[in-house]
Amino acid sequence: MHPDLPAAYGTPESPGPELLTTDEMYRADAFAVEQGIAGRTLMETAGTALANAICDRWSPRASVILCGPGNNGGDGFVAARLLAERGWPVTLYLLGKRDALKGDAALAAADWQGDVLPLAETAMEGAALVVDALFGAGLTRPLDGIPAALAERSHDADAVIVSVDVPSGVDGNTGAVLGTAFAADLTVTFHRAKPGHYLLPGRTACGELAVADIGIPDRSIEVVNPSAFHNSPELWGDAYPRLADAGHKYGRGHALVVSGPATKTGAARLAARGALRGGAGLVTVASPEDALAENAAHLTAIMLAEFDGAPGLTAILEDRRKNAALIGPGAGVSSFTRARTLAVLRSGAAAVLDADALTAFEADQKILFDAITAPTVLTPHDGEFARLFPDLEETEGGKPARARAAATRCKAVVVLKGADTVIAAPDGRIAINDNAPPTLATAGAGDVLGGFILAQLAQGVPAFEAACIGVWLHGEAATRFGPGLIAEDLPDMLPEVLEELEAYLP
């Protein structure tokens, strides 16, 4: 990897992009044991990784280790022993009785030579560093009693807070906070991250995330076969379209963006510019007659074609070189938009449906879904998702489950947008994105995102990977620009991002 590339691109030591649910992590642990790696060895390695992560970041200071009754607490016992051996002043508190510990946790506790104090609400007083080793990602009920009180105090504590696996109180599968949760400065997890590390509000509770290798064989990933991933170049690098020395613009696809009527054209132009910067060889804006002059006054490298209603759009798309189309931004919620959207879907071109192209089918979802046959990406925000999939709002399993169910139903890739965007494929795969800064909450940013995804489809990238690439580029461009971002800035940040991306990819 180029030494100057930012952390967003990963490091050679980074774990794979797979995200393991709590059940999948249990299965990975079990696989390691089946391969002859003792559970006690895994716990010792995990506790060592935890102690190392702490020592790498902070100098010795008064430390409190809060241990729970399970394996998470066992990791805490190991870290406490190692920190004490390195000269750290350590006080250890245990939830429950020491003689009630079982298995590997009991063995780890037996190696701790210091006092074991009963967990108390005053445990954090006077500490400069607190290790939360109370509960791991498998917690399914809200914190209560003393753990809940300590979690609340962590939010305004002067001490550094380090959580093991996930902050106690965070659901490792959904990122939900179960009543209350510790607010960590650092979370150390093992083998692979979990969905809850990247989904809100869990992501915020985690602080910095460190994923440590504890010796579980990578072959466990093949056995577990996870379907959730962190959206990063490691996930889609092989699908990323590369320029060929002998290539030409016609080999990079011809993207079509459908414009709204007069005075509603800006969104389509933002998307079109995003598509051109994003790599499409040619981009055309299809414009109603009343908007031709308005669009022509703003377009240069992007071409312009007039159409009259759905039949006119069908005629434009009969040119099969126009292989990907975007409709929705500025289109208006109307029967005209419904007809034009169906014309796009029936053309056989890959499609991105956004904004009004989704809301226009609020009462006709089945008509929309039945028309999807070519590679298609839907890009709803929460409100549009609720209108298109009203019965999925309370789906158990949080945002990943909602997005998965929607993608299965509509037979398309669904990009459920937000600060923790989830990209879901009809085959059950999901990717969770975490690089979107709050500056993206600005008018037109979603239109540019549609253009970035469209560019990948035009270049022949499969729909799931196209959506993942577009979402990641969108967040990375916004992060690079910084404060003051407006939608027009996003395409112009892409050259810098793409240059570094291509230096990173093998």
Side-chain angles (χ1 to χ4, degrees):
M1 188 185 72
H2 191 285
D4 297 327
L5 289 178
Y9 290 79
T11 68
E13 295 78 26
S14 295
E18 304 89 2
L19 301 178
L20 302 190
T21 64
T22 54
D23 178 65
E24 289 167 345
M25 189 62 208
Y26 292 143
R27 289 162 54 199
D29 278 335
F31 175 79
V33 172
E34 290 170 4
Q35 300 305 302
I37 303 172
R40 179 69 184 90
T41 300
L42 293 173
M43 183 170 289
E44 185 70 21
T45 309
T48 301
L50 174 60
N52 289 343
I54 292 170
C55 292
D56 287 346
R57 290 164 175 79
W58 298 285
S59 58
R61 60 195 63 198
S63 302
V64 165
I65 316 292
L66 309 175
C67 291
N71 284 347
N72 219 46
D75 297 339
F77 271 101
V78 173
R81 188 191 82 238
L82 296 174
L83 290 174
E85 289 173 357
R86 299 176 192 183
W88 288 58
V90 173
T91 304
L92 189 146
Y93 291 85
L94 176 64
L95 176 62
K97 296 188 178 297
R98 185 170 185 165
D99 58 9
L101 295 173
K102 298 178 181 179
D104 298 325
L107 296 175
D111 289 338
W112 166 249
Q113 301 303 309
D115 293 333
V116 176
L117 303 177
L119 193 68
E121 289 191 22
T122 57
M124 293 169 56
E125 292 180 5
L129 183 140
V130 175
V131 174
D132 155 36
L134 288 170
F135 300 102
L139 185 69
T140 57
R141 57 177 177 80
L143 293 182
D144 57 14
I146 294 174
L150 292 170
E152 283 297 312
R153 292 182 183 181
S154 74
H155 288 255
D156 55 10
D158 293 330
V160 171
I161 308 295
V162 179
S163 287
V164 183
D165 194 18
V166 297
S168 293
V170 170
D171 185 313
N173 292 335
T174 68
V177 169
L178 304 172
T180 188
F182 277 78
D185 298 289
L186 169 68
T187 296
V188 181
T189 194
F190 312 110
H191 186 49
R192 295 292 189 274
K194 298 175 178 63
H197 289 128
Y198 293 111
L199 292 163
L200 293 173
R203 186 174 84 207
T204 301
C206 287
E208 178 192 353
L209 178 65
V211 183
D213 179 3
I214 59 171
I216 297 175
D218 278 341
R219 197 157 60 86
S220 66
I221 297 301
E222 299 174 18
V223 174
V224 171
N225 192 27
S227 58
F229 303 88
H230 176 225
N231 188 27
S232 68
E234 289 181 291
L235 173 61
W236 39 258
D238 290 344
Y240 180 75
R242 311 299 179 88
L243 297 180
D245 290 343
H248 51 79
K249 62 186 177 183
Y250 298 105
R252 296 169 64 189
H254 190 157
L256 183 79
V257 179
V258 182
S259 171
T263 75
K264 305 291 184 182
T265 60
R269 290 196 302 275
L270 283 170
R273 186 168 178 81
L276 193 62
R277 279 287 194 200
L282 302 97
V283 180
T284 293
V285 169
S287 175
E289 181 183 11
D290 68 342
L292 273 175
E294 190 176 323
N295 278 316
H298 293 277
L299 299 177
T300 47
I302 295 166
M303 296 178 285
L304 189 60
E306 180 184 352
F307 78 95
D308 182 14
L313 202 52
T314 297
I316 290 175
L317 287 167
E318 284 176 352
D319 179 355
R320 298 302 182 191
R321 292 174 297 181
K322 295 181 176 66
N323 62 329
L326 164 65
I327 185 168
V333 180
S334 67
S335 59
F336 299 110
T337 295
R338 286 196 295 274
R340 293 168 186 177
T341 300
L342 294 174
V344 167
L345 293 174
R346 290 165 180 159
S347 71
V352 179
L353 308 185
D354 186 30
D356 295 339
L358 303 175
T359 301
F361 288 90
E362 181 175 5
D364 302 302
Q365 299 106 321
K366 189 173 186 304
I367 293 174
L368 175 65
F369 301 158
D370 286 348
I372 294 173
T373 55
T376 300
V377 179
L378 278 57
T379 59
H381 55 56
D382 281 334
E384 291 158 349
F385 185 92
R387 289 190 282 273
L388 207 54
F389 304 98
D391 60 315
L392 298 183
E393 282 302 286
E394 302 302 322
T395 301
E396 185 177 349
K399 194 169 185 176
R402 287 191 288 136
R404 270 197 183 105
T408 300
R409 179 179 300 176
C410 68
K411 306 180 299 296
V413 171
V414 172
V415 177
L416 182 48
K417 295 185 291 192
D420 55 350
T421 292
V422 174
I423 304 116
D427 62 11
R429 287 176 296 162
I430 64 164
I432 302 171
N433 195 76
D434 72 330
N435 73 344
T439 51
L440 278 173
T442 185
D447 304 320
V448 177
L449 171 61
F452 285 178
I453 296 171
L454 181 67
Q456 312 314 312
L457 290 174
Q459 294 174 90
V461 178
F464 178 70
E465 287 78 6
C468 290
I469 293 169
V471 168
W472 188 89
L473 291 176
H474 192 241
E476 190 66 13
T479 298
R480 294 304 181 85
F481 187 88
L485 176 80
I486 60 174
E488 287 92 330
D489 300 319
L490 290 165
D492 293 340
M493 287 302 299
L494 270 193
E496 177 183 329
V497 173
L498 295 177
E499 180 180 14
E500 292 185 349
L501 176 62
E502 291 182 9
Y504 167 76
L505 293 173

